[in-house]
Amino acid sequence: MASTPRYWAVVVAAGNGSRMAADRPKQYLPLAGRCVIEWSLAPFLDCDWIAGIVVVLAAADCEFAKLPVSRDDRVFSVDGGASRAESVLCGLRWIEANAGKADGRSYALVHDAARPCLRQQDLDRLRDLASNADGGLLAVPVTDTLKREAQSRVDETISRDALWRAQTPQLFELSRLVQALEVAASSGLAVTDDASAMEAIGARPHLVRGSGSNIKITHAEDLALAEFWLNRQGGSD
Ligand SMILES: Nc1ccn([C@@H]2O[C@H](COP(=O)(O)OP(=O)(O)OP(=O)(O)O)[C@@H](O)[C@H]2O)c(=O)n1
Ligand SMILES: C[C@](O)(CO)[C@H](O)COP(=O)(O)O
C-alpha cells in the first residue's frame, strides 16, 4: 500500500517586529476582530490535510498561551531562535523529535505568522508540490519597475523580467529542508526564506502563483491593507 505523506505547518512567530515599532510584537496586534497570528493560523486549522501545526515562539513570549488557538490539540509550540532561519529549524526539529517516523514522507509548510491573509485555495494548491523533490513556494510576479539605490539616487534600473516576490507558505520535504538550513547555517549563509537554503544545495523550487493579498505585515500601514483583504475575503476562504 502506498505510504501516506504527512504535511506539517511550521508557523514562525518568534520575531519582535522592530520595523513595526508597536507596543508588542506585530503578530499579536489586533486585526479584524482577532490578532494577526490567529488569522495566520486559520487556513491551517481549516485544512483537513495538515497533520499538525508547530508555532515557533520567542522564548519570553507570554502572549500566545492566552489565545484560544493555543489550546487546539493540533497546535504545538516551541521556542525559536535569533533569526527566522533558526526559528524554522527549531520547528522542524520539534517535528522530527515528536511526530515519530511517518510511514511516508513528511513535508513542512513554513509560513510567516506575519502573513494573516493567506487564502485557503492558495494553501491547497501547494499540496501538489509534494510530488516534486525540490518543493516550492507561493509567489507573485514583480509588477513595479525596480531601481537599485546608491546615496538616495538611482544607481541602476533592474529588469523585472522573470522576477517574482516570494511569499509563504513554502513547502519542502522535511528532512531535506533541515539539511539545507543546517548547511546554510554552518556555511554562514544568511537566508531570508527557506527556498534560498534549498537553492543553495541545488534545488530549484517551483513557483506557485499566489495572491497579491497574501501580504507580510511589516510596517504600520500594512495592518489597514490586511484588514481590507480580510474583510473582502469574508474572513477566510
Ligand atoms: N528570529 C526570528 C525572526 C523572525 N521570525 C518570524 O519570521 C516571520 C518573518 O519575519 P519578519 O517579518 O522580519 O518579522 P520580525 O523579525 O518580527 O520583524 P522585524 O524584521 O521588523 O523585526 C515573522 O512571522 C517573524 O515572527 C521568527 O520566527 N524568528
Ligand atoms: C519569508 C519571506 O516572507 C519571503 O518573502 C521573507 O523573506 C521574510 O523576510 P523578513 O525580513 O524575515 O520579514
Side-chain angles (χ1 to χ4, degrees):
M1 183 176 77
S3 55
T4 310
R6 295 214 300 177
Y7 302 88
W8 281 84
V10 175
V11 178
V12 282
N16 59 27
S18 58
R19 288 171 287 180
M20 175 63 74
D23 60 353
R24 72 199 78 165
K26 60 190 178 183
Q27 53 271 34
Y28 298 111
L29 290 173
L31 176 64
R34 296 176 170 177
C35 71
V36 170
I37 193 171
E38 291 176 295
W39 288 109
S40 304
L41 288 168
F44 301 99
L45 291 166
D46 293 342
C47 193
D48 61 7
W49 52 271
I50 294 287
I53 303 158
V54 179
V55 183
V56 187
L57 303 170
D61 186 320
C62 55
E63 290 302 316
F64 186 69
K66 299 174 186 172
L67 300 175
V69 71
S70 68
R71 294 184 288 279
D72 188 301
D73 60 10
R74 294 163 294 169
V75 175
F76 306 88
S77 63
V78 67
D79 288 348
S83 70
R84 183 186 183 282
E86 286 178 42
S87 291
V88 173
L89 260 181
C90 291
L92 298 175
R93 286 172 174 153
W94 184 96
I95 299 168
E96 287 188 318
N98 295 279
K101 280 281 171 241
D103 59 350
R105 287 182 175 275
S106 291
Y107 295 89
L109 294 98
V110 184
H111 187 54
D112 296 332
R115 289 185 187 267
C117 303
L118 172 64
R119 300 174 68 181
Q120 195 73 48
Q121 61 211 56
D122 291 337
L123 173 58
D124 289 339
R125 290 170 58 221
L126 283 177
R127 187 178 185 180
D128 299 338
L129 287 175
S131 59
N132 162 49
D134 286 357
L137 62 147
L138 290 179
V140 290
V142 168
T143 56
D144 299 308
T145 295
L146 299 176
K147 307 286 186 186
R148 185 181 303 282
E149 175 266 340
Q151 290 89 36
S152 301
R153 308 279 293 267
V154 175
D155 185 48
E156 64 171 324
T157 294
I158 302 164
S159 168
R160 67 188 181 202
D161 293 348
L163 288 188
W164 289 57
R165 290 189 291 119
Q167 299 178 342
T168 67
Q170 303 192 3
L171 181 150
F172 300 104
E173 199 271 317
L174 190 139
S175 59
R176 200 163 177 220
L177 182 54
V178 170
Q179 177 209 5
L181 288 167
E182 287 178 344
V183 166
S186 59
S187 59
L189 175 66
V191 293
T192 55
D193 76 339
D194 312 292
S196 301
M198 294 293 295
E199 294 155 37
I201 62 168
R204 295 187 66 227
H206 280 236
L207 289 162
V208 175
R209 188 166 186 149
S211 305
S213 55
N214 184 19
I215 64 170
K216 181 163 66 76
I217 304 291
T218 305
H219 301 104
E221 62 267 26
D222 298 325
L223 287 163
L225 191 52
E227 178 138 19
F228 166 79
W229 284 118
L230 288 170
N231 290 333
R232 183 169 176 186
Q233 289 165 10
S236 63
D237 60 4

